[in-house]
């Protein structure tokens, strides 16, 4: 079983539990916080993988550090420690976020533009492109890319919609040159 398959199974189980208890957002926020802790302190994972500490001590450390987390996330991380799969946490958080977004009818989108988008522009882009991908709304992240010259490029998952001036000039160049 590949790591992503394992992560997807744990994420699916956690998602179903969170959905039953109607705490999708809380669990997602806790997973994001956990991922942030791991990114900022890589030694945390090293500690949880260290054979020097017993599994019970590791579970105790997790309970102390994440005392404010939902019991579902806390127990999941403790189970990962017990099963020696704590390295899967980031992948589980990512898979959970995807499942939650699907359930809520949203998707993540990155919009590349030559300047920062206004709230109204982001809302208009979300409304227009969410219909194209069959979602209710998009969570937009705006990235500035001066090389576009003008217009925007929208990336939603593996799909890229490019209506930038640079892309239009490149297409025109290919048509004229042949």
């Amino acid at each position: 079983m590949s790591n992503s398959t394992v992560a997807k199974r744990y994420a699916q189980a956690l998602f179903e539990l969170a959905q039953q208890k109607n705490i999708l957002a809380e669990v997602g926020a806790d997973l994001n916080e956990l991922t942030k802790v791991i990114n900022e302190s890589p030694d945390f994972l090293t500690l949880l993988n260290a054979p020097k500490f017993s599994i019970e001590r590791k579970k105790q450390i997790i309970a102390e550090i994440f005392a404010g987390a939902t019991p579902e996330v806390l127990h999941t991380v403790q189970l990962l420690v017990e099963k020696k799969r704590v390295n899967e946490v980031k992948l589980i958080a990512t898979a959970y976020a995807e499942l939650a977004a699907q359930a809520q009818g949203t998707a993540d989108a990155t919009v590349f533009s030559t300047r920062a988008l206004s709230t109204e522009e982001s809302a208009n882009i979300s409304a227009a492109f969410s219909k194209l991908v069959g979602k209710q709304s998009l969570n937009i992240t705006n990235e500035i890319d001066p090389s576009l010259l003008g217009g925007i490029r929208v990336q939603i998952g593996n799909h890229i919609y490019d209506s930038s001036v640079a892309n239009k000039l490149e297409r025109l160049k290919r048509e004229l040159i042949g």
Side-chain angles (χ1 to χ4, degrees):
M1 223 181 322
S2 76
N3 290 345
S4 61
T5 304
V6 169
K8 286 177 184 174
R9 287 187 181 177
Y10 277 98
Q12 182 69 39
L14 186 58
F15 171 76
E16 289 173 8
L17 184 61
Q19 200 170 32
Q20 286 173 359
K21 295 186 176 190
N22 202 23
I23 55 170
L24 285 175
E26 292 88 344
V27 169
D30 287 348
L31 286 173
N32 288 338
E33 192 63 32
L34 179 61
T35 303
K36 194 159 74 170
V37 167
I38 291 169
N39 287 336
E40 292 174 2
S41 306
D43 294 339
F44 179 66
L45 273 183
T46 306
L47 172 80
L48 294 179
N49 284 317
K52 184 176 182 178
F53 297 104
S54 70
I55 289 177
E56 290 308 314
R57 178 64 183 130
K58 292 174 187 176
K59 286 180 174 182
Q60 188 179 21
I61 291 169
I62 290 168
E64 290 170 8
I65 293 174
F66 298 105
T70 58
E72 294 76 15
V73 171
L74 186 63
H75 292 133
T76 300
V77 176
Q78 289 175 333
L79 179 66
L80 291 170
V81 166
E82 193 175 304
K83 300 290 183 183
K84 297 182 178 12
R85 293 193 183 276
V86 76
N87 291 334
E88 301 289 325
V89 169
K90 286 184 185 179
L91 295 172
I92 292 169
T94 302
Y96 178 89
E98 290 171 5
L99 290 168
Q102 284 176 350
Q104 296 166 344
T106 63
D108 290 331
T110 304
V111 178
F112 299 90
S113 60
T114 56
R115 61 173 174 77
L117 297 174
S118 70
T119 307
E120 184 181 334
E121 289 170 329
S122 290
N124 290 340
I125 291 169
S126 175
F129 284 93
S130 61
K131 293 174 187 168
L132 285 175
V133 293
K135 300 290 181 185
Q136 292 174 359
S137 66
L138 297 176
N139 301 322
I140 292 183
T141 303
N142 185 212
E143 291 192 19
I144 309 302
D145 183 359
S147 70
L148 297 178
L149 303 177
I152 61 170
R153 185 172 65 231
V154 180
Q155 181 176 351
I156 306 168
N158 293 334
H159 301 286
I160 296 176
Y161 303 94
D162 195 342
S163 65
S164 65
V165 172
N167 185 50
K168 290 178 182 176
L169 288 172
E170 185 60 35
R171 270 188 292 178
L172 183 61
K173 179 181 167 186
R174 281 190 303 239
E175 286 177 18
L176 292 175
I177 294 175

